[in-house]
Amino acid sequence: MSIHFYSPVSTTARLRSTLLAALGLALAFGCNEAPPPDPVFVPADFVVEESADGFSVSGAEPGAELALLDASGEEIDRGTVNAAGGLDFFGVPLAEGYVIEETTGLERERAESLSAIATDYSEPGPYTVGVTTLPMADRNIDVFYPAAPGSEAGQPFATYELIAPFPPDVQALILALAPDVNSEVVLPAYRDLPGDSSGPFPMLIFSHGSGGFREAYSQFLANMASHGFVVGSLDVLEFGLLARLGLGPAEEDQRTPQDLVDEALALLEATSDDNGSLLAGTVDAEQVATLGHSAGGRVAFAFLTERPQIKTHVGYATVPFEGTPTLPVLLLLGAEDEAITPATTLAIYDPLAPPKRYVAVGGAGHNSFTDQCEIIYNGNDVIAAAQAIFGLAFPDSLAALARDGCREENMPPSEFWKIAQHYTVAHLKYVFGENSQPLGLETGALALFPEAEIDYRFSTPAPEITAGQVTFFNHCAVDLTLRSSGPALGTLASGRPLSVPISAFNAGAQNAVIAYPNLSADQCSVDFCDGWTALGGIPGTVQRAGFMWEAPNETYAAYCNPNLSGRSLCAVQKNCCGPDMVQDGTFGTTWEFTPSGAADLDYPDISTNYGFGPNTPPNLCPTGGPDDCVSAAANIFFNVPIKWTSNQTCSFTSAATTITGLQCLEASCTDAYQHPTDDKQSSCPSDSGRGYLVEYCPDGQALPTPPG
């Protein structure tokens, strides 16, 4: 029989419809139509049909998310409407008082307004910017700083010329041979204004890259200062432009990155303490960040622990550096960088402990940070002229590096600066404590740059374990949907915790929690399922074999759900990936939890059905060979890295091996319990003080790369 049900009008796009579950009520009316709706309800085109193993909804909007609630308002099940407008609720008999609630409207409304909600640091900040040059022992440092309001009146913008780093005799030679190589760069700053008395402001020490010079990033750094920072731009003569041309300091005169940072810190602090200086009172010497581009990363990461005033490091397309940072780190680069590739940067990023952030911007390259890149991009190829002047001293390798990110096909450098500035400023304000929340660092902030392709990843420290609670924490770069056979959990936002009382889980019974990555169509195309040729037959008709989890099929095992208990949904509807990914609880990396079970113990486990390779597929059948049957349990396999820990001393029940937790970080997943042949179960005391922490993408682990 069919029952039509109704949805209310809602200005919040939240539709709530009662299943007048009155299968008997509908019969009493003698028809398949529900009784007239309450005046606050308007008819919807949804149709509910019973089946032997549950019921289904049709006529819904494809992509909508529907939640099934019982009469008390508790969520029973949740799913996403498929492309045909249908959604099946299996194993759920209709009952009086059930409610279907569509939450998609709220999510869509939230997504569409993210650009208005997210804090935007991509434009110039509230402060007028001054710039001054201070002498160091053997070189100069340019300083950008918040200037006194109104002091810029009648003043021209500061400028510099591209030939500025050269000695006067070389400048004269350049102008004589190729005058077009010189350009005047106009800065969003004013020369030698008095500092803003509302400070002090955090101090940033920046280093250019190999072949660079202190003025080369001035437009980018000046706009950064407009958000309330004092930015010192070092001249690292040891690997700067003059050094690359054979005009650098003699070996005995070269200085270490540590020495340069120490002098810059002392100089800016002393200048701020001088009431007669332009920078009087502007510098907060206890709030410092070190930043560097390319080879300048050696300066940015020069002090990893020895200077307590340094609170964070920022590496722009940084070269690998020595040591392991213990402070928050931001790594940012252009995704088209040919010198420091995303793979190189991820090799630095992945082993780092949280908190850490990674931003790769599509269309940008190695030199996209510099003023010169904007000049080259706009058609003045000063590099060709420089090569003509300096010949072999300006090799092709240096020329290629200078043009990397500045070609016609690249993102305009000035647009890249906005993205780099946004993530840098947001990161710094959060680290320095100006923002108590990571404003501008949420995944939703990507909506601020709709035309850009940005790979944004981050990992934040997990919360402490709390007695009486299970805390779930999502380190993954995307939101997760947590499907649970126990308490309703819903969406776990990226970088966020979710604490659930242990008492909310089914005591003495298994509670299975499966995580699903919520990917967009751009991140994971619906066509990917068709590319998986390792099914071995029509989905749902063959036993899962170990080889299906091996390369190159492992990414499909992570993101596709081709079995679905024989329903063949993946092959038919392609809803295995992205927004159409089936999230019905039939596969995934599973955290299982039985509180207060046998012997008054808790039983937490991680489960997959991976097996150990082509020769030992998981034996899911008690009798016969592993290819003799299809098991519903065969739908469970690795997709999201997971780790759990406890504040109790636990053990493997079979081997009495002491543990405090388990992890499953890749498909082989040796810590996981693999039904039914593996006895890798664990038990923990179930006293009132116990607590658990379940982390997704822990310790810098990332989701498997989507197929395709």
Side-chain angles (χ1 to χ4, degrees):
M1 64 176 298
S2 298
I3 301 177
H4 293 276
F5 65 98
Y6 297 84
S7 303
V9 174
S10 172
T11 57
T12 61
R14 183 173 179 138
L15 305 178
R16 185 181 179 90
S17 298
T18 304
L19 283 178
L20 294 165
L23 295 175
L25 181 61
L27 290 171
F29 277 87
C31 66
N32 290 340
E33 295 294 328
D38 184 278
V40 301
F41 288 75
V42 296
D45 294 329
F46 294 0
V47 175
V48 176
E49 296 184 353
E50 278 194 293
S51 63
D53 54 356
F55 67 94
S56 62
V57 175
S58 60
E61 180 184 358
E65 186 175 75
L66 304 181
L68 177 66
L69 312 179
D70 64 19
S72 68
E74 289 293 319
E75 183 173 317
I76 301 170
D77 204 354
R78 176 184 292 262
T80 302
V81 177
N82 62 36
L87 175 63
D88 296 323
F89 289 96
F90 287 93
V92 183
L94 286 174
E96 187 169 358
Y98 275 10
V99 169
I100 282 186
E101 183 171 74
E102 182 182 356
T103 60
T104 313
L106 274 183
E107 294 301 315
R108 183 179 298 122
E109 186 177 82
R110 176 176 177 271
E112 290 174 350
S113 61
L114 275 173
S115 58
I117 295 172
T119 303
D120 186 354
Y121 295 115
S122 65
E123 298 297 332
Y127 295 96
T128 299
V129 178
V131 57
T132 193
T133 302
L134 299 178
M136 295 176 64
D138 60 347
R139 64 197 72 198
N140 291 330
I141 182 172
D142 283 346
V143 183
F144 301 89
Y145 54 93
S151 61
E152 77 280 12
Q155 300 297 314
F157 283 119
T159 64
Y160 76 90
E161 295 184 341
L162 283 188
I163 61 173
F166 294 101
D169 56 337
V170 179
Q171 290 186 19
L173 176 64
I174 294 173
L175 293 176
L177 295 177
D180 290 343
V181 77
N182 192 32
S183 291
E184 183 180 71
V185 180
V186 179
L187 308 183
Y190 302 86
R191 177 65 61 177
D192 296 331
L193 296 182
D196 191 319
S197 61
S198 66
F201 304 95
M203 181 183 357
L204 315 182
I205 303 298
F206 174 81
S207 169
H208 58 75
S210 177
F213 51 99
R214 72 173 191 273
E215 296 97 339
Y217 304 74
S218 292
Q219 295 182 82
F220 177 54
L221 297 180
N223 277 326
M224 201 111 70
S226 74
H227 286 275
F229 303 106
V230 175
V231 186
S233 182
L234 286 166
D235 232 343
V236 189
L237 303 176
E238 287 69 17
F239 54 70
L241 176 60
L242 297 183
R244 292 297 299 265
L245 298 175
L247 302 173
E251 184 175 353
E252 62 270 18
D253 296 326
Q254 293 184 9
R255 300 171 62 183
T256 66
Q258 291 85 351
D259 186 29
L260 293 174
V261 171
D262 269 342
E263 185 184 355
L265 292 176
L267 174 62
L268 289 180
E269 182 176 8
T271 305
S272 179
D273 290 342
D274 179 0
N275 290 332
S277 79
L278 294 174
L279 300 180
T282 60
V283 175
D284 184 347
E286 298 305 312
Q287 295 272 60
V288 178
T290 50
L291 304 80
H293 174 230
S294 191
R298 299 193 186 103
V299 179
F301 293 90
F303 289 114
L304 300 183
T305 58
E306 302 92 337
R307 298 294 182 270
Q309 66 268 47
I310 297 176
K311 308 301 183 186
T312 183
H313 312 286
V314 178
Y316 298 127
T318 181
V319 296
F321 47 83
E322 295 182 0
T324 303
T326 58
L327 300 173
V329 169
L330 169 64
L331 300 178
L332 190 150
L333 77 158
E336 318 312 321
D337 194 324
E338 298 171 3
I340 304 295
T341 65
T344 300
T345 303
L346 285 171
I348 299 171
Y349 173 85
D350 286 341
L352 297 177
K356 58 182 181 178
R357 299 181 188 275
Y358 167 90
V359 182
V361 182
H366 191 75
N367 209 29
S368 293
F369 297 87
T370 68
D371 301 335
Q372 293 69 48
C373 196
E374 179 83 349
I375 293 171
I376 297 169
Y377 180 84
N378 288 330
N380 183 1
D381 189 358
V382 295
I383 304 304
Q387 281 193 290
I389 295 172
F390 293 102
L392 295 177
F394 204 115
D396 290 342
S397 59
L398 182 59
L401 187 67
R403 293 189 180 103
D404 188 345
C406 316
R407 303 179 181 94
E408 183 180 0
E409 64 268 22
N410 290 119
M411 171 184 285
S414 57
E415 292 302 309
F416 170 73
W417 298 341
K418 293 181 179 182
I419 300 173
Q421 173 181 301
H422 169 83
Y423 281 101
T424 303
V425 171
H427 171 79
L428 294 172
K429 286 182 176 289
Y430 184 44
V431 169
F432 288 140
E434 181 176 335
N435 293 338
S436 60
Q437 298 295 322
L439 302 179
L441 297 172
E442 312 91 336
T443 53
L446 293 169
L448 295 168
F449 310 104
E451 303 302 319
E453 295 183 6
I454 302 175
D455 182 1
Y456 176 44
R457 311 181 188 190
F458 62 91
S459 179
T460 52
E464 299 291 329
I465 296 175
T466 303
Q469 301 279 328
V470 175
T471 301
F472 298 89
F473 194 91
N474 181 12
H475 297 282
C476 303
V478 300
D479 294 351
L480 301 174
T481 294
L482 301 185
R483 296 298 307 275
S484 168
S485 63
L489 301 177
T491 299
L492 181 58
S494 176
R496 292 287 188 262
L498 172 66
S499 292
V500 182
I502 291 176
S503 59
F505 291 85
N506 299 319
Q510 184 188 84
N511 300 261
V513 179
I514 303 178
Y516 293 89
N518 295 333
L519 303 177
S520 68
D522 290 337
Q523 292 170 306
C524 204
S525 166
V526 295
D527 294 330
F528 288 153
C529 254
D530 279 356
W532 194 17
T533 59
L535 292 176
I538 298 173
T541 64
V542 294
Q543 168 64 35
R544 311 294 301 172
F547 75 88
M548 294 185 182
W549 284 263
E550 300 288 349
N553 304 315
E554 55 194 0
T555 52
Y556 293 97
Y559 285 99
C560 286
N561 188 0
N563 198 323
L564 287 174
S565 301
R567 281 178 270 150
S568 306
L569 291 181
C570 182
V572 174
Q573 299 175 350
K574 303 180 182 178
N575 50 353
C576 63
C577 200
D580 295 324
M581 184 180 190
V582 174
Q583 299 181 348
D584 63 354
T586 61
F587 88 117
T589 315
T590 308
W591 187 68
E592 297 174 351
F593 182 48
T594 302
S596 303
D600 198 29
L601 295 172
D602 292 347
Y603 296 90
D605 287 296
I606 299 172
S607 288
T608 69
N609 283 92
Y610 170 70
F612 292 98
N615 299 320
T616 55
N619 184 1
L620 301 173
C621 304
T623 60
D627 297 318
D628 288 346
C629 68
V630 176
S631 167
N635 297 319
I636 302 174
F637 52 90
F638 172 83
N639 71 323
V640 178
I642 182 174
K643 178 174 81 172
W644 69 265
T645 50
S646 174
N647 60 2
Q648 303 289 303
T649 300
C650 307
S651 65
F652 283 130
T653 52
S654 58
T657 302
T658 300
I659 60 171
T660 55
L662 301 171
Q663 65 183 17
C664 176
L665 306 181
E666 56 185 8
S668 56
C669 204
T670 55
D671 275 354
Y673 166 75
Q674 296 164 7
H675 174 83
T677 60
D678 191 5
D679 194 24
K680 205 179 280 96
Q681 295 176 298
S682 55
S683 59
C684 306
S686 61
D687 59 66
S688 61
R690 92 274 203 197
Y692 298 91
L693 175 64
V694 181
E695 299 174 77
Y696 296 100
C697 300
D699 305 326
Q701 298 292 320
L703 292 169
T705 302

